Amino acid sequence: MANPRLLLARFLCVVAAVTFCACLPSPVSAIRKDIGLAAPIMCRRTVQGRHLISDDNGYVCTALSIDPWSRCCPRTGARFSCQGCNLDLQCCNSYEYCVSCCLNPSRTKEGDVLKLKVAKPVTAGTYPSIFDFCMGRCRHSSASVVHENAYLSDFHHCFLVQQNSSAGSTESNFGSRLDGINVILGRQGESCTSACRAKGQSCVPSRLSELNKCQILQKYMRCKNGCFPSLGPDQPAEVVDEAPKNLNPGACLYMQMDDRLTCDGSHQHTRRLCPCA
């Protein structure tokens, strides 16, 4: 028979062990979610210039002063700076300041630019952000040059919001985009190349799209029978009164596809409107 004292001692040890374990803290079941590092702020920035950089916050700085971790410009200078810009034309003499000025919400409305297509084809996508729009718009384009190798002016980085349709711009914008251009009405059946050459000038292909609008055609021509979209290498043009009736005499025609405009086209029954310089 077991010794009663031994049994009592064992029982007391078990009770003591259970009591000790109950006093210990419960095990950790999960890692706390309210403790952690804040997500780092990273900037997008332009890469076109060798000396200046514009970030997506609207600051301009030198390449050497940019923060190596965030890639942001120091926030010590002016935000949305329009230094070296002609605000009437919405054009600047520097790419980086063009982007900075364009990012100003008071000048560029997010709702307007995010609906614009990056290119003219129907399948083209839209701009994902205002920064993408400003970077794209401020780069040089064929609309910034004459004779394919010279700028129209020092302000050749422009962020003007232009519509792709033929009726999408205001007359005030037309005037600024035609600075330095001599608009000439060619003779019947004459190409713009010939019409400009007769004046001792050259046709400027990049400015044909500025004339390819009913507002401009009606300014320089009678267009007594209306203004209509069409397809033809002689456009923009007016059909002469003596043309066959099926050609709609007296009507003005603009090209539906700007990328097909050419200085060399002509038609025996139309007179062309030509940009010469």
Side-chain angles (χ1 to χ4, degrees):
M1 182 175 178
N3 189 329
R5 291 184 177 181
L6 181 58
L7 291 175
L8 178 60
R10 290 178 178 177
F11 174 74
L12 291 177
C13 287
V14 171
V15 171
V18 171
T19 302
F20 174 77
C21 291
C23 295
L24 293 176
S26 59
V28 177
S29 60
I31 298 175
R32 289 182 60 181
K33 297 181 179 180
D34 58 341
I35 298 178
L37 298 176
I41 298 175
M42 301 295 291
C43 289
R44 296 181 61 197
R45 58 195 177 91
T46 60
V47 294
Q48 181 164 323
R50 290 182 297 174
H51 307 293
L52 293 177
I53 287 173
S54 177
D55 66 21
D56 57 1
N57 288 318
Y59 291 96
V60 177
C61 63
T62 63
L64 295 177
S65 65
I66 199 166
D67 187 280
W69 298 103
S70 68
R71 315 304 292 170
C72 298
C73 285
R75 301 192 177 189
T76 54
R79 192 180 188 189
F80 306 132
S81 174
C82 296
Q83 178 179 321
C85 299
N86 183 323
L87 298 182
D88 291 330
L89 299 179
Q90 297 187 52
C91 296
C92 308
N93 58 16
S94 162
Y95 174 72
E96 289 74 25
Y97 280 104
C98 176
V99 173
S100 174
C101 190
C102 171
L103 286 172
N104 191 329
S106 66
R107 302 187 186 282
T108 306
K109 304 300 182 184
E110 182 175 9
D112 293 337
V113 303
L114 297 188
K115 295 183 293 185
L116 293 179
K117 290 186 176 295
V118 177
K120 292 183 179 180
V122 176
T123 56
T126 54
Y127 292 98
S129 69
I130 292 183
F131 187 60
D132 289 287
F133 166 81
C134 293
M135 285 196 299
R137 292 298 300 168
C138 287
R139 291 192 178 98
H140 301 307
S141 70
S142 60
S144 303
V145 300
V146 292
H147 301 144
E148 307 302 326
N149 60 2
Y151 291 117
L152 281 170
S153 73
D154 291 335
F155 303 100
H156 47 260
H157 298 282
C158 303
F159 58 91
L160 179 68
V161 178
Q162 294 179 319
Q163 303 295 330
N164 289 332
S165 65
S166 293
S169 301
T170 63
E171 189 170 346
S172 61
N173 289 337
F174 295 152
S176 64
R177 302 302 296 170
L178 292 173
D179 287 344
I181 296 296
N182 184 20
V183 180
I184 292 176
L185 180 60
R187 295 174 297 178
Q188 180 177 342
E190 185 178 34
S191 70
C192 282
T193 300
S194 298
C196 293
R197 185 184 298 124
K199 300 292 184 180
Q201 297 181 318
S202 299
C203 178
V204 185
S206 64
R207 285 299 181 269
L208 280 169
S209 61
E210 300 301 323
L211 303 183
N212 191 44
K213 300 172 176 65
C214 284
Q215 295 97 319
I216 291 294
L217 285 166
Q218 291 164 347
K219 179 178 179 180
Y220 291 94
M221 297 171 162
R222 292 179 299 167
C223 303
K224 63 180 182 180
N225 280 343
C227 183
F228 306 98
S230 184
L231 287 173
D234 60 309
Q235 296 155 22
E238 181 180 39
V239 183
V240 298
D241 293 339
E242 298 77 18
K245 290 185 178 181
N246 66 310
L247 296 181
N248 200 0
C252 288
L253 306 174
Y254 67 87
M255 172 72 86
Q256 289 178 292
M257 305 176 69
D258 280 0
D259 57 345
R260 294 189 181 181
L261 292 169
T262 174
C263 289
D264 297 327
S266 63
H267 190 283
Q268 60 177 329
H269 294 301
T270 64
R271 300 181 66 188
R272 296 199 62 180
L273 192 63
C274 307
C276 307

